[in-house]
Amino acid sequence: MIVTVQQHIMFEQRRRHPEARGRFSWLLSGLTLAAKMIEAKIRRAGINDALGSAGETNVQGETQQKLDVYANQALLHCLGVRDSVAALVSEENEEPLVFDPAPETGEYIIVFDPLDGSSNIDVNVNVGTIFSILRRPPGPVTNAILQPGHQQIAAGYILYGPSTVLVYTTGDGVFGFTLDPAIGAFVLSHNHIQLPHQGNLYSVNEAYADTFPPAYSQHFATLRSKGYSSRYIGSLVADFHRTLLKGGIFFYPPTHAYPGGKLRLLYEANPLAFIAEQAGGRATNTNSRILDIPPTDIHQRTPLIIGSLSDVTAFSC
Ligand code: P6P
């Protein structure tokens, strides 16, 4: 029996929130529609002139790829037409898009990185979409966006690789769905994902090792002495998905270029930390649990150490 992501969301909502009116499920259907649009564009990127730079730089000062722009527009469109959305925050947009509906309808704030790792697209390496869903509390929407990660009501990612996989949690386990192109639906393929308690892989860009705080390189040497191998794809969603399924530990430490870390708290670290913890793993910035960091800016960065419970707790600096 196949279970699609829509059916799964409805089952979960009925089981856990019998009072739910399906507005959350309707919201998530906007995400899966955008994911299918992005996937279709990526699959043909080499032959539909979708590769390469869009000739602009985004708010991060990064060169926008054509597919960054497309992915962002697809998500803004598919989510913006859902009346349950109070605001959208995208890595590609300097300011939030506030729709300011009535509080009783505009219940959700969605924060996303439309296409993470897009610099890898031209060489056909996995890229991903990452999303985080927050509840809109009473009061002005703009004051409600900077919520700590433990207040997320859902989080997930879509990994565009040899197959396209959607992974999500609503706080009661982690589930993975593989897009079946024959029927155009995401079908349950990874039920109740558990992040292995300990792994044998570590993942970090060691080109920056000379600029990491010393404790990192000392720890990497310890891991190597224990027989750990190294894997680094340079696309966060791909490196995280491998860690989620195989175990081990991923690091993006502070560097000279990014003393506060390179990865974003709201739409990269928080959603992946929610998933990691729901699957039995951990995520920290070495001083704090990622999900407890109080945000001060929608685009703020953080160091990220995430993965197996045993591996993450064994590291300190
Ligand atoms: P570096 C991709 O640009 C990205 O934002 C993440 O997907 C990835 O984990 C990281 O940057 C890679 O950064 O400095 O190792 O190239």
Side-chain angles (χ1 to χ4, degrees):
M1 177 185 89
I2 67 166
V3 176
T4 67
V5 67
Q6 263 74 16
Q7 288 168 317
H8 192 269
I9 293 163
M10 294 295 280
F11 294 154
E12 286 293 291
Q13 289 302 303
R14 280 197 201 125
R15 182 171 67 82
R16 297 175 56 220
H17 305 287
E19 80 291 349
R21 295 155 294 164
R23 299 166 61 74
F24 184 74
S25 311
W26 172 234
L27 176 71
L28 279 177
S29 72
L31 278 164
T32 53
L33 174 59
K36 291 177 202 172
M37 291 167 66
I38 295 165
E39 191 272 344
K41 201 79 170 177
I42 287 174
R43 285 276 163 264
R44 304 179 64 250
I47 49 181
N48 60 6
D49 188 32
L51 291 179
S53 163
E56 306 283 337
T57 55
N58 65 12
V59 62
Q60 325 296 340
E62 296 162 346
T63 303
Q64 273 189 321
Q65 303 298 307
K66 291 177 189 171
L67 281 169
D68 282 322
V69 175
Y70 178 83
N72 195 39
Q73 289 169 346
L75 282 156
L76 293 177
H77 169 73
C78 293
L79 295 170
V81 297
R82 260 70 177 164
D83 62 3
S84 54
V85 173
L88 296 173
V89 174
S90 169
E91 188 213 26
E92 298 295 335
N93 295 85
E94 185 157 6
E95 299 299 331
L97 279 77
V98 177
F99 300 95
D100 206 19
E104 59 278 5
T105 53
E107 301 165 73
Y108 304 108
I109 296 166
I110 308 178
V111 184
F112 56 85
D113 183 352
L115 204 60
D116 178 76
S118 55
S119 55
N120 292 304
I121 289 170
D122 290 5
V123 293
N124 204 30
V125 167
N126 295 14
V127 290
T129 297
I130 313 171
F131 63 88
S132 167
I133 302 179
L134 303 165
R135 192 170 298 286
R136 178 262 185 97
V141 181
T142 44
N143 300 347
I145 292 170
L146 296 175
Q147 300 178 33
H150 62 73
Q151 291 182 203
Q152 293 173 94
I153 59 172
Y157 57 83
I158 299 99
L159 178 58
Y160 309 99
S163 58
T164 297
V165 177
L166 181 150
V167 172
Y168 91 110
T169 183
T170 58
D172 192 25
V174 179
F175 302 91
F177 301 81
T178 300
L179 181 63
D180 181 344
I183 60 174
F186 282 100
V187 177
L188 183 64
S189 51
H190 301 72
N191 197 18
H192 279 293
I193 298 174
Q194 297 297 314
L195 209 163
H197 179 76
Q198 178 159 353
N200 61 7
L201 294 171
Y202 75 101
S203 184
V204 64
N205 185 340
E206 290 194 82
Y208 309 134
D210 299 336
T211 73
F212 295 154
Y216 285 91
S217 294
Q218 290 158 8
H219 190 68
F220 302 152
T222 301
L223 295 178
R224 287 194 295 271
S225 71
K226 292 179 177 177
Y228 278 60
S229 187
S230 172
R231 290 283 184 284
Y232 192 72
I233 300 168
S235 193
L236 175 62
V237 177
D239 279 317
F240 176 74
H241 190 65
R242 180 200 58 247
T243 305
L244 178 68
L245 298 185
K246 301 284 188 191
I249 185 167
F250 170 91
F251 301 81
Y252 204 106
T255 63
H256 276 177
Y258 297 103
K262 176 183 183 184
L263 303 177
R264 311 295 177 168
L265 176 63
L266 261 64
Y267 41 79
E268 291 175 333
N270 273 344
L272 299 186
F274 188 17
I275 291 168
E277 290 198 3
Q278 279 290 309
R282 281 294 177 273
T284 172
N285 68 354
T286 68
N287 300 320
S288 161
R289 177 180 176 236
I290 289 289
L291 297 182
D292 290 338
I293 298 173
T296 54
D297 178 84
I298 61 173
H299 297 298
Q300 82 184 62
R301 301 174 189 267
T302 177
L304 178 63
I305 294 92
I306 191 168
S308 296
L309 173 62
S310 170
D311 288 307
V312 173
T313 46
F315 175 71
S316 61
C317 80

